[in-house]
Amino acid sequence: MANLLLGPLLRRVDGDQAVIWVQTDRPVQVTVAAAGVTVTSDTFTAFGTHIGVAVLSGLPVGANPYTVSLDGAPVWPPPELPPSVVTVRDPADGDATIVFGSCREATGRTHAARGHDPDVLEALAARLLAGARTGQAALPDLLALIGDQIYADELSAPTVAWLAEQERHPQAPPRQVVGFAEYVHLYHESWTDPEVRWLLSTVPTVMVFDDHEIIDDWNSSAGWLAAARREPWWDERITAGLASYWLFQHLGNLTPAQLERDPVWTRVRAGGDATAVLTEFARRASTPAGDEPYQWGYTVDVGRTRLIMMDCRGNRVLDRARRRMWPQEHWDALARQAAADCDHLVLACSLPWLLAPVIHHGEAVIEVLAARHGGAEKLRQKYDLEHWAAVGDSFDELTALIAGVRGPATVSVLGGDVHHSYVARADVAGATAQVHQIVCSPLHQSVRGVMRTLLRLGWWRVLSGPAWLVARAFGVPRPRVRWRTGRPPYFGTAVATLTHRGRSADVLIEGAHPGGRLTPVLQHRLADTPTAPTPAPAPAPAPAATGS
């Protein structure tokens, strides 16, 4: 009898269609049934791993319980859990509830000895599961995981012990994964907790990578990449990392229509073992901004909200003379996507657009110096100076794009990576929407000691002015945005909920406390405009302002 190893994961729900992903222990036929709709599809095989993708179509509005069978034998849901559901929204419903977070090392149970706060993804899953059991579950419309869903270079003790028993590359780092099977092990470690597994089977989930899916500081600079390529295990590492990411994370980010157009999926579903297809793809995609850069980013529309998930790692332009977050064709695509008719625009990226001002100005200075002196490149790599201000003119390019948005009541830029959470109001010259940077990190990680102190100091307004003067002295251009937080940042594991009702918007960030209970730590009203405004001509650009 075939076994369900991982999943089911409810990924994209688009209109009356839903994409459900599974991993099995052998080639099988996967049957998913919900609300009178039944679909059966064959798994495909890559690197000895068997993956199934089922697309349900024609589902009715409402919560639709579903079942999964392998070769006709029921395997999901297990008797101890409530049914998993696919919720189809009423097309007339313009509201949206989006939960998001980033940076999660395995499970709280596995990492209890590492000193992290409780795992908030487990806490969120437990709360929603309890509600489902009592018939009082209020499920979010979407769960967005915005980077570092696994840590390939920071492993739990059980995984290190497991690696020691495997046949590996002879020069593989003992505390980092390298091969494809090792990556699969990390996804199992992260997603097999029963409560988390139920959560991912019931709430539509989208994802994007950050660096730790591959390795710390991935694609931060041409110098970093050149050093990585000199490692004897790098080719296997980047190939396995990107191939496993495409299979376990990116594949489910696509709607059924997008799957039909995706060049990799078209070749995979053609039949036969997909190992060669994914190996070739991963090697081609491992060259940042190559001749045909793969589009890792995508859009999700929830009611009158448009979420644009931006790739800040895989397609960086690392040319020292013209560094950018991604190539021009992707900037052009982003501009078209941001011009959508919506009430709220959400730009999600693993890296915050607006950091603590002192840190922002410091990264901008290092970027200027690195273009002139090789020594500054060493500082960039040593201190992880890899965010928007440290990637050429990309900070200014994104700021200009936000300034040009017309129509939405809010533009919310979501970020992770930095292991603390905050909400910063941004005054962008020329913008008509309410603009905020919302950072929620980590789901399960931590930052302590000197680094935590430095991050706190980075928000001190008394230091931001001198930091800006130093930046100006080194020729850093004056930014078109001024930003500040209303409350100090929160250090601790956290999950955020973005709520849009009409043209009003709120964000709630909750932290997990011992025992796994979620409690509010930051709340902010982003906009309070329940009706659409009368259209007005775009204002003339306001004078530029510095971050503070």
Side-chain angles (χ1 to χ4, degrees):
M1 177 176 170
N3 294 304
L4 183 65
L5 296 182
L6 199 59
L9 272 66
L10 176 60
R11 300 303 308 273
R12 286 297 294 270
V13 176
D14 186 53
D16 65 358
Q17 295 185 303
V19 176
I20 294 177
W21 179 102
V22 299
Q23 183 197 353
T24 63
D25 67 344
R26 66 194 70 182
V28 295
Q29 284 194 322
V30 180
T31 299
V32 181
V37 177
T38 301
V39 62
T40 299
S41 61
D42 294 326
T43 58
F44 64 90
T45 300
F47 303 92
T49 300
H50 311 290
I51 302 296
V53 176
V55 177
L56 294 169
S57 299
L59 295 170
V61 172
N64 301 286
Y66 71 90
T67 61
V68 178
S69 300
L70 302 181
D71 284 342
V75 294
W76 189 271
E80 66 273 14
L81 293 176
S84 300
V85 299
V86 177
T87 301
V88 175
R89 292 168 49 89
D90 184 337
D93 183 3
D95 296 342
T97 303
I98 300 173
V99 173
F100 72 94
S102 70
C103 308
R104 181 172 181 261
E105 279 193 13
T107 69
R109 298 176 182 86
T110 302
H111 282 70
R114 291 178 69 107
H116 299 329
D117 290 339
D119 186 327
V120 293
L121 196 65
E122 289 182 355
L124 175 67
R127 183 168 71 185
L128 294 177
L129 185 58
R133 285 174 168 147
T134 60
Q136 299 177 338
L139 298 175
D141 297 307
L142 187 71
L143 171 63
L145 301 175
I146 57 175
D148 294 343
Q149 279 67 259
I150 58 171
Y151 277 72
D153 52 352
E154 296 181 25
L155 307 181
S156 66
T159 294
V160 172
W162 177 82
L163 282 179
E165 299 174 353
Q166 309 305 308
E167 292 188 9
R168 310 185 67 212
H169 189 291
Q171 294 171 286
R175 302 187 68 85
Q176 299 185 32
V177 301
V178 169
F180 186 89
E182 298 165 16
Y183 269 99
V184 173
H185 180 88
L186 292 187
Y187 284 109
H188 282 226
E189 186 179 44
S190 292
W191 293 348
T192 52
D193 173 86
E195 294 170 339
V196 170
R197 193 171 184 178
W198 178 86
L199 171 71
L200 297 178
S201 75
T202 298
V203 177
T205 304
V206 294
M207 311 175 188
V208 74
F209 47 38
D210 194 29
D211 55 343
H212 288 284
E213 270 87 358
I214 305 298
I215 192 171
D216 189 28
D217 300 340
W218 175 42
N219 281 349
S220 59
S221 68
W224 181 95
L225 184 60
R229 286 173 170 169
R230 289 193 290 270
E231 297 290 351
W233 42 263
W234 175 250
D235 183 65
E236 182 179 0
R237 169 72 158 271
I238 189 64
T239 301
L242 287 177
S244 61
Y245 172 78
W246 189 90
L247 279 173
F248 283 77
Q249 296 197 51
H250 184 70
L251 183 57
N253 291 330
L254 306 179
T255 67
Q258 291 166 341
L259 281 171
E260 292 297 322
R261 299 190 299 268
D262 185 79
V264 183
W265 177 243
T266 300
R267 295 182 63 193
V268 166
R269 68 181 301 195
D273 192 301
T275 302
V277 172
L278 289 178
T279 298
E280 176 192 349
F281 160 71
R283 286 176 174 164
R284 190 169 63 250
S286 68
T287 301
D291 294 336
E292 298 180 10
Y294 186 74
Q295 179 60 271
W296 296 108
Y298 52 92
T299 64
V300 184
D301 292 323
V302 183
R304 293 280 300 165
T305 294
R306 164 154 288 194
L307 167 68
I308 303 177
M309 192 73 86
M310 303 184 296
D311 156 35
C312 293
R313 288 289 180 183
N315 277 309
R316 289 196 181 192
V317 179
L318 300 181
D319 182 357
R320 187 172 178 178
R322 183 59 171 154
R323 286 163 45 83
R324 303 177 84 185
M325 275 293 186
W326 46 74
Q328 185 60 46
E329 56 262 45
H330 289 189
W331 279 106
D332 294 341
L334 177 62
R336 292 191 297 271
Q337 294 161 354
D341 177 20
C342 60
D343 287 335
H344 303 278
L345 179 64
V346 180
L347 305 175
C349 173
S350 60
L351 301 177
W353 165 54
L354 302 176
L355 294 169
V358 174
I359 296 173
H360 169 91
H361 297 318
E363 292 204 9
V365 168
I366 293 298
E367 176 69 1
V368 170
L369 291 177
R372 305 170 183 169
H373 310 289
E377 172 64 24
K378 296 179 181 178
L379 290 176
R380 174 157 56 197
Q381 292 184 36
K382 181 176 181 179
Y383 294 106
D384 292 354
L385 306 179
E386 54 186 347
H387 300 85
W388 283 88
V391 186
D393 298 325
S394 292
F395 176 85
D396 293 330
E397 291 179 289
L398 185 60
T399 303
L401 184 144
I402 292 169
V405 169
R406 294 294 179 267
T410 66
V411 176
S412 298
V413 186
L414 311 186
D417 179 68
V418 292
H419 297 181
H420 64 294
S421 302
Y422 55 90
V423 180
R425 179 187 173 94
D427 296 321
V428 181
T432 59
Q434 298 292 316
V435 182
H436 294 83
Q437 170 74 72
I438 308 170
V439 174
C440 185
S441 167
L443 289 167
H444 189 238
Q445 246 282 357
S446 61
V447 59
R448 300 182 184 279
V450 174
M451 183 57 67
R452 179 179 290 199
T453 300
L454 291 175
L455 290 171
R456 289 188 187 278
L457 291 174
W459 285 105
W460 281 18
R461 293 178 62 187
V462 70
L463 298 178
S464 63
W468 163 240
L469 292 176
V470 171
R472 286 291 289 165
F474 280 95
V476 175
R478 181 184 295 273
R480 296 177 60 187
V481 55
R482 181 189 300 273
W483 66 99
R484 67 181 59 178
T485 59
R487 296 183 58 186
Y490 173 73
F491 290 86
T493 56
V495 65
T497 301
L498 190 60
T499 303
H500 295 154
R501 298 291 181 262
R503 290 176 65 84
S504 295
D506 296 271
V507 65
L508 168 67
I509 298 178
E510 297 175 279
H513 297 274
R517 181 173 55 89
L518 292 176
T519 59
V521 294
L522 293 172
Q523 293 178 274
H524 196 86
R525 171 60 57 92
L526 306 177
D528 191 7
T529 51
T531 59
T534 301
T546 183
S548 62

